[in-house]
Amino acid sequence: MSATMISGKEISAKLRLSVKAQADALRAKGVVPGLAVILAGDDPASAIYVRNKEKACEECGFYSEKYVLPAETSQDELLSLIAKLNADPRIHGILCQLPLPAHISEQAVILAIDPAKDVDAFHPVNVGRIMTGDYDFVPCTPAGVMAMLDECGIDPKGKHCVVVGRSNIVGKPMSMLLLHRHGTVTICHSRTKDLADVCRSADILVAAVGKAGFITADMVKEGAVVIDVGINRTAEGKVVGDVCTAEVAEKASYLTPVPGGVGVMTITMLMQNTLKAAEKQSAGV
Ligand code: GUN
């Protein structure tokens, strides 16, 4: 089998047009969706992601503010900035790019963001709502994966969905979203026994490990759908995923490329969440 590559770029282009049209309709009522992005420290990959988020705001007709803070910024200074943005009516969504400098508590920052403006869906209120299925904001990367599956007509219902990775940002919420759609979900991690066997039993395999080339063809069932969430930089500076793309493409039915796959969808889902935040806040709900 030779896999169909699912283009995050193409799906995103279509979805962003729809976000822009909805933002235009909101602007006609006097509301411009506003996103504040905070970058603390000098992680080069984070700087690229933040730039791409700014560009996406321009493309969708959003108002955006970017705060680039030096690595020495204190936690109190960062929390003060968040408090100011929580109170700013032009700002509907706040995103603080992770990872943070080591002296700043990620949890303190996540807790400081008003849950109504938490377009990452990292606040425990929003995490809890994802558990129950009663959510406004879906974490952007898992939401992007679901949008790709939907676009390709791939229904998780009744399928064995194996998620490799148990992070708060991807693995855990990804599992919940698949479960809400009636998938039978297994979460694997570094201590899973017989990981390759579990992966081989997947109808839908989501790789969110953060290790280049972790998923090899022998771990994939013939005809499986393989979603590569990894963004890894090789020693030569090349961006690659968690999946050995060339060999897995020979076995999978669908596969997402890196770059041009899940990564671009993540940013598109951030735009959807920001639009939703603006709609809800302007309606006073
Ligand atoms: N760092 C890596 N992914 C993300 C994300 O989705 N949101 C934030 N805030 N930081 C990240």
Side-chain angles (χ1 to χ4, degrees), residues 98-167:
L98 304 178
L100 292 167
H103 64 279
I104 299 179
S105 155
E106 210 168 82
Q107 196 57 16
V109 168
I110 288 170
L111 282 172
I113 296 174
D114 178 347
K117 296 191 176 186
D118 171 36
V119 284
D120 262 326
F122 290 170
H123 191 287
V125 165
N126 291 321
V127 174
R129 293 183 64 180
I130 289 153
M131 287 290 285
T132 60
D134 158 41
Y135 47 78
D136 289 325
F137 302 131
V138 190
C140 301
T141 300
V145 172
M146 296 309 288
M148 291 173 109
L149 294 177
D150 285 341
E151 187 66 27
C152 297
I154 300 162
D155 185 357
K157 185 174 171 181
K159 305 234 167 69
H160 187 204
C161 307
V162 174
V163 178
V164 190
R166 55 175 159 177
S167 70

Side-chain angles (χ1 to χ4, degrees), residues 164-231:
V164 190
R166 55 175 159 177
S167 70
N168 289 337
I169 297 184
V170 183
K172 288 180 199 166
M174 184 77 252
S175 308
M176 280 300 131
L177 297 188
L178 290 164
L179 186 61
H180 291 318
R181 295 285 298 275
H182 313 292
T184 301
V185 182
T186 302
I187 308 175
C188 298
H189 46 80
S190 53
R191 297 189 204 166
T192 297
K193 273 196 211 154
D194 305 321
L195 178 72
D197 278 345
V198 182
C199 290
R200 256 192 304 276
S201 71
D203 302 308
I204 299 175
L205 179 62
V206 181
V209 192
K211 285 189 185 150
F214 186 85
I215 303 289
T216 47
D218 62 301
M219 297 165 81
V220 174
K221 180 166 76 177
E222 190 74 37
V225 173
V226 180
I227 307 290
D228 191 350
V229 178
I231 301 179

Side-chain angles (χ1 to χ4, degrees), residues 62-133:
F62 290 8
Y63 169 68
S64 74
E65 289 181 0
K66 179 166 91 167
Y67 294 87
V68 180
L69 309 178
E72 318 76 72
T73 303
S74 71
Q75 180 168 310
D76 281 349
E77 283 169 319
L78 179 50
L79 296 183
S80 302
L81 171 60
I82 291 171
K84 188 186 82 142
L85 295 169
N86 279 341
D88 186 339
R90 286 170 310 175
I91 298 298
H92 305 100
I94 303 169
L95 178 144
C96 187
Q97 188 69 29
L98 304 178
L100 292 167
H103 64 279
I104 299 179
S105 155
E106 210 168 82
Q107 196 57 16
V109 168
I110 288 170
L111 282 172
I113 296 174
D114 178 347
K117 296 191 176 186
D118 171 36
V119 284
D120 262 326
F122 290 170
H123 191 287
V125 165
N126 291 321
V127 174
R129 293 183 64 180
I130 289 153
M131 287 290 285
T132 60

